Amino acid sequence: MTDTSDDIPGIGQYDDFHTIDWQRDIARDRMRHRYIVKKRQDSFWDLLKGAHDAWSGWVCVLLVGLFTGCVAGVIDIGASWMTDLKFGICPQAFWLNREQCCWSSNETSFDSGNCSQWYAWSEIFTSSREGFGAYVISYFFYIMWAMLFALLAASLVRMFAPYACGSGIPEIKTILSGFIIRSYLGKWTLIIKSVGIMLSVSAGLSLGKEGPMVHIASCIGNILSYLFPKYGRNEAKKREILSAAAAAGVSVAFGAPIGGVLFSLEEVSYYFPLKTLWRSFFCALIAAFILRSINPFGNEHSVLFYVEYNKPWIFFELVPFIGLGIIGVSGTGLFRGKGLLNKCVYFHPQGFIATFFIKANLWWCRFRKYSKLGQYPVTEVLIVTFITAVIAYPNPYTRMNTSELIYLLFSQCGISNQDPLCDYNRNFTDVNSAIEIAAAGPGVHKAVWLLILALAMKLVMTIFTFGMKVPCGLFIPSLALGAITGRVVGIGMEQLAYNYPKIWIFSGECSTGDDCITPGLYAMVGAAAVLGGVTRMTVSLVVIMFELTGGVRYIVPLMAAAMASKWVGDALGRQGIYDAHIALNGYPFLDSKDEFQHTTLAADVMQPKRNETLAVITQDSMTVDDIETLLKETEHNGYPVVVSKENQYLVGFVLRRDLNLALANARRIIDGITGQSLVIFTSAQPVQNLGPSPLKLKKILDMAPITVTDQTPMETVVDMFRKLGLRQTLVTHNGRLLGVITKKDVLRHVKQMDNEDPNTVLFN
Amino acid sequence: MYRKLLYSISLLIIFHIASTQSQSYEDKRCKCICPSFKTVDNTTQEGTDRMLIIDNVPPNKCNCDGVILPRIAGKIKGKGQEICPRCDCKYENRNTTIIKVVVIIVIWIISLLVIYMLFLMCLDPLLNKRVKANYQEHTNEDVIIASDSISSKHATTSINGPSRHFRDSYRNKFSGSFDDTAVTVSNGQDMHVRENNVLNRVGHQQDKWKRQVREQRRNIYDRHTMLN
């Protein structure tokens, strides 16, 4: 028993844009493992090799976590520095952003983050910070820096790694389900995506860096897996490392290791056995630990939105929380015309957020794909950045970094919060006593209007931004949209409680004058609802949210909003945004969540159709020329091998790529092979010895292909494709070969049954 | 280009700074926030802004007595114990060396990438035009080849050794197999001269990479088959 058949180079690898054969790769890995275990007793060196094989998975995942943590730290520091470069510079230490520059200055004024060590651009050129001239200069520099960053990002992506654009999660989902996209997880994509996401975020565009972090982590996982041949040469095993890497990506993006593991389980991975669960947990843990020790934000938390309050919520508040959950996802009735729900939702001014966002974004992406706009990607990026910068600067809530905005909305109004949003008529007496409920001052009203404007602007800009040819993500914009909605609703509830403390819903907790409604909590729930509505995450969303905020007390409201969002979404049957993008791009992704409910049979789906013949190879009666002609005339990816053309009993299945490589290799290396040599797929010696010597290709034949009969219902066949990760299956009738069903046929059939266009399934 | 801008701006800044105050960039601080004095003493002349006091003290002294009272001793006139409960003190830590190293690395990487990009856009075509004129037989990878018969003829003229190339079989649809091995085929004599050159190998790798990027660009920007 030897290791994988390496005498023909290239056998066992896959072509670009092809589906892998899970069964074959898992079988190869088992064979390799058995070989190593058998040889363990031979010598000390072999014992060491056996131990190395056993722990190589853990070592690989450890390295992936280390590098992911480091890269995430670099991206965080770089992005926060470049973001503040739009506003000014710290002359003595130009590497510090505004907050860090003013960190240890011992002035006693409280001027919203500015200090004498930090020079705004207007201060450099006009020596003043206030006034109309200063405003114009600041505006100009803001736009100029934003355009510069966006131009750099778009041109670097176009020049070096076009695969680095977009979010990456739809493609990674497809890759993890068994598709090959070469260079998508390569080193150039890694470098350009890291640099590009720093530049895109700093340009002030309405996007986040969480989706790209998953892509970056997967690139690191892919590159490091090549250090360990157990994973590098086996595509099925490599996907275990990639699942763990995706968990690490979310873990460092949010500072949420457990949420990262659940995200990898729920959203990204296709197969997730227990072994992968342990590995992902370990990887996410290491990555979070490394990021925390780099300490990019100077406050010992790798979390941006750490909220420290622990105020209780009252039972009645579950109603607005569930309402926020429904707002987060509703709006589909309008587009699907489902009667009464249609009318209710239409008049609801906020019933548009998540599903509206998905539909609008898909419409715009489709428009971009098919129209002339798609031919000017760099120009498009520049125009969108210009418009975003021009609209964002005047409104202080859009001018600030989106993460800072979310932090502001999540936090409670206390003594250290000087934003107009917290302009209540309060007397601060003791920092340790409870904050009393108070009437909203004029600052709050102005802030609410500005926030609503910010909501509209962010919604519109994100629709046009997501899908551009720069690295972009959409977790942070969705969280921001939800947080704004939630905070506005929360302030409304709070004022309701202040003005009418005696009504029955507030009785008890609110009548003592203490603050019982926390608008920050509403912001959290709103953010979770919109993110859940957009991406259709459930458990991972709740865990990420409570790890993000540290508010363990708020798990129940978050769960209520997430469940409401999920139920309403499922009832209306819409896809999340990542599945919608997979469908838009035509990736061959067989969704394991949908159920196949039609009653068709295997005979209805198989190739060849009625008027075609099945292209087969016989086991010992075809010559090299015959096979080459067959390869040239047909386009199939594989051919069944039968006993003879008269009785088509199945022998096995052989792939086109393997045939090409084996024939090319034979012609080059083995003497005496001509076009007339017979090709033998059996191990029996052929009788005649006249003519050229035969070519034995039994090694490349798969002698155990999965077969079904023609009367097998398609439900079972689809289930087999999902559970076993098949690439094709052979259809037999009364023991004889009848046809082939490939994954592409299954995908087309599913689309046809759902009354969608089957020709949108591209690739193999 | 990027660095020149940075240098010119820093020159401007230096001219504007008349006197350098003692700038502080320590790594530890104690941050205390207090409401204004009006909350304890209605007669004071201070404004109604909140106070922010930052000082560099060890963590056990990061409280009202250690930080706030020494700072405002003159103005408080005996009401120190009243303002203390309204103040909020926190001890924080950071590492500026890591920030400095990371930012400088990021600037370096971006500058290198920009320089390489400018080189590829402007100088590389000029260099390649002169080199390509020496080839007598020259294949253009952008031409889409319909059949394999031409390719098999050309493949036999390639040379053994480290610079052996295989013809890649382009097809106009995705159902074909895409071999992303290199392609350049040229006349025998010129190849012998450059054959064992390390630069030749680097150039070969660079050509292969450029071809891959071109194919990616075609998929994404022109045909819009992916990443929409």
Side-chain angles (χ1 to χ4, degrees):
Chain A
M1 185 172 23
T2 55
D3 211 339
T4 54
S5 55
D6 286 329
D7 40 344
I8 308 174
I11 295 278
Q13 303 302 318
Y14 296 96
D15 280 334
D16 204 1
F17 299 117
H18 277 73
T19 317
I20 72 172
D21 194 343
W22 288 90
Q23 292 302 309
R24 188 168 84 157
D25 282 346
I26 292 176
R28 271 172 56 211
D29 180 64
R30 279 201 210 111
M31 228 166 58
R32 186 196 59 91
H33 181 70
R34 248 173 277 165
Y35 173 69
I36 286 188
V37 167
K38 189 172 91 106
K39 280 201 62 163
R40 258 208 310 230
Q41 293 94 317
D42 287 356
S43 72
F44 183 69
W45 178 244
D46 286 317
L47 184 69
L48 220 57
K49 268 168 73 167
H52 171 69
D53 188 76
W55 71 52
S56 61
W58 293 100
V59 172
C60 186
V61 151
L62 172 76
L63 289 176
V64 169
L66 278 173
F67 278 96
T68 307
C70 292
V71 171
V74 167
I75 291 178
D76 280 340
I77 295 178
S80 64
W81 172 68
M82 281 200 264
T83 311
D84 279 343
L85 210 54
K86 299 198 297 281
F87 298 109
I89 196 164
C90 191
Q92 270 79 19
F94 68 90
W95 56 85
L96 294 177
N97 62 2
R98 175 162 64 183
E99 186 198 341
Q100 298 293 323
C101 193
C102 298
W103 205 73
S104 61
S105 78
N106 44 15
E107 299 155 12
T108 53
S109 71
F110 199 96
D111 182 18
S112 69
N114 286 328
C115 60
S116 60
Q117 288 170 199
W118 169 264
Y119 281 62
W121 294 118
S122 59
E123 214 172 320
I124 292 176
F125 290 100
T126 62
S127 312
S128 75
R129 248 182 241 199
E130 312 291 328
F132 182 71
Y135 187 82
V136 166
I137 292 188
S138 308
Y139 206 159
F140 170 73
F141 266 96
Y142 182 88
I143 297 177
M144 197 201 75
W145 278 109
M147 305 267 295
L148 176 69
F149 288 144
L151 174 69
L152 271 178
S155 13
L156 285 176
V157 162
R158 189 189 162 85
M159 193 68 212
F160 292 118
Y163 277 154
C165 63
S167 158
I169 293 187
E171 286 76 23
I172 291 180
K173 274 182 83 148
T174 317
I175 288 177
L176 283 178
S177 82
F179 194 56
I180 303 263
I181 306 179
R182 292 239 176 271
S183 312
Y184 195 75
L185 301 176
K187 53 188 180 304
W188 274 105
T189 314
L190 170 65
I191 296 175
I192 297 296
K193 192 112 186 180
S194 314
V195 171
I197 193 62
M198 274 193 268
L199 289 168
S200 311
V201 165
S202 314
L205 287 167
S206 177
L207 43 85
K209 56 178 170 34
E210 285 65 33
M213 274 311 305
V214 175
H215 187 179
I216 289 169
S218 304
C219 289
I220 295 174
N222 186 43
I223 293 171
L224 287 175
S225 73
Y226 282 104
L227 290 175
F228 303 89
K230 173 180 175 185
Y231 295 102
R233 287 204 218 131
N234 191 322
E235 293 289 335
K237 295 290 281 179
K238 197 198 286 186
R239 271 130 181 90
E240 291 175 17
I241 303 291
L242 293 183
S243 291
V250 174
S251 155
V252 292
F254 286 118
I258 305 179
V261 175
L262 287 173
F263 177 81
S264 178
L265 166 68
E266 197 180 354
E267 274 295 307
V268 172
S269 301
Y270 203 70
Y271 298 114
F272 207 79
L274 265 183
K275 185 164 61 168
T276 315
L277 183 69
W278 305 135
R279 299 245 166 95
S280 307
F281 180 66
F282 182 60
C283 196
L285 186 69
I286 296 286
F289 174 69
I290 296 288
L291 183 64
R292 195 179 180 285
S293 57
I294 292 181
N295 195 13
F297 301 114
N299 56 358
E300 304 268 345
H301 301 295
S302 51
V303 157
L304 285 185
F305 316 137
Y306 191 73
V307 296
E308 292 168 311
Y309 54 87
N310 206 3
K311 309 207 55 194
W313 46 277
I314 59 179
F315 184 69
F316 174 74
E317 287 181 303
L318 273 181
V319 172
F321 291 150
I322 293 179
L324 278 173
I326 297 180
I327 286 172
V329 81
S330 62
T332 51
L334 181 65
F335 297 99
R336 263 206 163 176
K338 281 218 167 145
L340 190 60
L341 187 59
N342 189 3
K343 292 193 186 53
C344 294
V345 156
Y346 186 84
F347 289 120
H348 199 314
Q350 289 156 306
F352 276 103
I353 299 184
T355 316
F356 170 71
F357 169 72
I358 297 179
K359 294 265 334 172
N361 179 251
L362 271 198
W363 169 79
W364 179 249
C365 286
R366 210 169 276 132
F367 174 77
R368 192 194 284 131
K369 179 174 171 176
Y370 292 120
S371 75
K372 277 199 80 176
L373 181 63
Q375 292 166 9
Y376 303 105
V378 180
T379 322
E380 182 196 356
V381 169
L382 284 176
I383 292 178
V384 169
T385 313
F386 181 73
I387 296 177
T388 310
V390 165
I391 301 182
Y393 191 81
N395 185 342
Y397 294 113
T398 44
R399 184 194 311 167
M400 65 169 81
N401 194 5
T402 319
S403 309
E404 276 173 41
L405 173 66
I406 298 178
Y407 181 59
L408 175 68
L409 293 170
F410 280 2
S411 55
Q412 190 191 31
C413 282
I415 198 160
S416 39
N417 212 327
Q418 217 191 3
D419 198 84
L421 193 63
C422 287
D423 178 26
Y424 290 88
N425 302 333
R426 281 198 183 122
N427 300 320
F428 282 112
T429 49
D430 190 344
V431 79
N432 296 318
S433 68
I435 295 185
E436 56 193 38
I437 199 165
V444 177
H445 291 115
K446 179 166 160 235
V448 167
W449 279 115
L450 284 176
L451 279 175
I452 293 180
L453 275 177
L455 172 71
M457 183 235 148
K458 272 207 181 305
L459 184 59
V460 170
M461 290 321 299
T462 314
I463 288 173
F464 290 106
T465 310
F466 188 65
M468 276 203 309
K469 303 292 183 259
V470 285
C472 52
L474 57 61
F475 278 40
I476 293 276
S478 315
L479 286 176
L481 293 175
I484 295 177
T485 316
R487 185 81 186 212
V488 168
V489 168
I491 290 178
M493 285 288 289
E494 191 186 27
Q495 293 307 301
L496 192 68
Y498 175 74
N499 290 319
Y500 308 102
K502 297 294 180 218
I503 55 181
W504 63 276
I505 49 181
F506 298 125
S507 64
E509 289 96 351
C510 288
S511 46
T512 56
D514 280 348
D515 195 7
C516 56
I517 307 273
T518 332
L521 174 60
Y522 283 74
M524 273 200 273
V525 170
V530 172
L531 185 58
V534 168
T535 58
R536 295 298 148 88
M537 306 193 307
T538 47
V539 181
S540 41
L541 174 70
V542 172
V543 174
I544 287 178
M545 284 308 293
F546 94 75
E547 274 185 299
L548 260 188
T549 56
V552 183
R553 205 165 190 162
Y554 305 126
I555 292 184
V556 174
L558 289 172
M559 273 168 57
M563 283 320 297
S565 167
K566 175 81 175 168
W567 277 329
V568 173
D570 276 351
L572 301 175
R574 292 270 100 204
Q575 299 170 310
I577 193 150
Y578 297 128
D579 294 317
H581 272 262
I582 286 180
L584 173 69
N585 286 312
Y587 297 136
F589 180 73
L590 188 60
D591 201 349
S592 44
K593 293 186 208 143
D594 296 333
E595 286 188 22
F596 186 83
Q597 286 157 342
H598 308 280
T599 53
T600 43
L601 300 175
D604 304 328
V605 179
M606 69 179 186
Q607 301 277 0
K609 299 282 183 223
R610 276 180 215 293
N611 48 353
E612 297 160 8
T613 51
L614 178 62
V616 293
I617 297 181
T618 56
Q619 69 175 356
D620 53 11
S621 54
M622 287 181 79
T623 62
V624 173
D625 273 345
D626 291 336
I627 292 191
E628 284 180 347
T629 322
L630 181 68
L631 288 174
K632 217 173 301 186
E633 284 172 358
T634 54
E635 297 164 0
H636 305 300
N637 272 323
Y639 299 91
V641 175
V642 295
V643 172
S644 67
K645 280 244 177 347
E646 294 80 33
N647 42 350
Q648 301 206 332
Y649 287 116
L650 181 64
V651 176
F653 195 83
V654 68
L655 295 174
R656 162 182 286 263
R657 185 192 155 101
D658 291 348
L659 270 178
N660 273 329
L661 286 170
L663 290 176
N665 186 58
R667 275 186 189 272
R668 231 179 31 240
I669 293 190
I670 308 180
D671 298 326
I673 299 289
T674 68
Q676 294 306 310
S677 311
L678 271 183
V679 177
I680 312 282
F681 284 104
T682 58
S683 47
Q685 276 290 74
V687 177
Q688 85 244 40
N689 281 326
L690 323 158
S693 49
L695 175 60
K696 295 222 177 103
L697 287 187
K698 182 160 184 278
K699 269 211 184 109
I700 64 171
L701 178 68
D702 176 13
M703 300 207 56
I706 308 278
T707 59
V708 293
T709 62
D710 59 331
Q711 296 298 313
T712 315
M714 271 311 284
E715 292 169 319
T716 313
V717 176
V718 171
D719 222 12
M720 282 168 67
F721 269 88
R722 275 188 203 142
K723 294 209 167 107
L724 295 175
L726 296 180
R727 194 176 167 179
Q728 72 278 320
T729 178
L730 301 170
V731 183
T732 58
H733 176 74
N734 292 348
R736 276 174 231 241
L737 181 67
L738 201 55
V740 179
I741 299 182
T742 62
K743 192 167 179 181
K744 195 169 176 180
D745 298 327
V746 171
L747 286 165
R748 282 206 160 128
H749 180 70
V750 168
K751 277 210 145 54
Q752 215 166 14
M753 288 289 119
D754 287 339
N755 292 325
E756 291 167 19
D757 185 8
N759 289 328
T760 55
V761 179
L762 309 173
F763 306 103
N764 289 304
Chain B
M1 183 172 76
Y2 185 77
R3 299 193 95 197
K4 253 209 250 177
L5 187 64
L6 202 61
Y7 286 150
S8 59
I9 287 179
S10 38
L11 271 172
L12 267 169
I13 293 163
I14 291 172
F15 283 138
H16 270 269
I17 297 175
S19 66
T20 55
Q21 306 154 339
S22 60
Q23 311 281 340
S24 49
Y25 296 103
E26 286 107 27
D27 281 355
K28 306 187 232 305
R29 74 172 178 180
C30 176
K31 175 175 162 184
C32 290
I33 301 180
C34 286
S36 77
F37 282 118
K38 280 237 173 340
T39 52
V40 287
D41 187 358
N42 267 334
T43 62
T44 179
Q45 267 80 24
E46 302 285 328
T48 51
D49 281 341
R50 274 171 271 215
M51 281 197 305
L52 167 70
I53 302 174
I54 295 176
D55 206 353
N56 191 358
V57 293
N60 53 358
K61 280 205 172 342
C62 184
N63 50 20
C64 193
D65 295 329
V67 172
I68 301 177
L69 288 182
R71 191 66 73 84
I72 58 175
K75 309 174 196 157
I76 201 68
K77 293 196 259 297
K79 294 230 187 187
Q81 290 314 309
E82 280 184 29
I83 199 146
C84 272
R86 300 165 203 239
C87 292
D88 185 22
C89 282
K90 239 189 314 194
Y91 183 75
E92 288 174 351
N93 221 336
R94 71 171 179 179
N95 193 337
T96 43
T97 323
I98 291 183
I99 297 179
K100 179 156 80 168
V101 166
V102 167
V103 169
I104 292 183
I105 288 178
V106 166
I107 294 180
W108 263 105
I109 292 179
I110 296 183
S111 322
L112 282 173
L113 285 174
V114 168
I115 292 172
Y116 192 34
M117 176 168 76
L118 293 173
F119 166 73
L120 283 180
M121 279 198 318
C122 310
L123 298 178
D124 211 33
L126 292 172
L127 283 175
N128 276 350
K129 246 185 247 168
R130 246 176 285 147
V131 174
K132 276 210 175 107
N134 291 335
Y135 288 149
Q136 295 179 359
E137 195 180 328
H138 159 76
T139 58
N140 185 359
E141 295 92 34
D142 291 352
V143 172
I144 297 173
I145 301 144
S147 72
D148 275 337
S149 56
I150 311 168
S151 59
S152 49
K153 246 187 282 168
H154 281 284
T156 55
T157 63
S158 60
I159 317 281
N160 290 330
S163 45
R164 173 198 294 198
H165 308 287
F166 294 95
R167 190 65 155 173
D168 70 344
S169 47
Y170 260 76
R171 302 245 173 84
N172 202 359
K173 28 190 171 33
F174 291 109
S175 57
S177 58
F178 174 71
D179 254 308
D180 53 359
T181 50
V183 141
T184 329
V185 175
S186 53
N187 206 335
Q189 294 131 331
D190 292 11
M191 292 302 287
H192 274 301
V193 172
R194 298 173 53 196
E195 190 173 299
N196 293 321
N197 202 345
V198 171
L199 244 67
N200 182 25
R201 224 166 290 169
V202 168
H204 160 53
Q205 287 287 10
Q206 200 187 24
D207 281 342
K208 185 166 136 188
W209 171 68
K210 275 194 223 169
R211 210 180 335 278
Q212 282 175 347
V213 174
R214 207 175 301 144
E215 180 66 20
Q216 288 175 15
R217 228 179 274 154
R218 202 173 297 137
N219 273 345
I220 294 175
Y221 293 110
D222 301 331
R223 293 194 204 128
H224 295 288
T225 51
M226 300 181 61
L227 287 165
N228 291 305

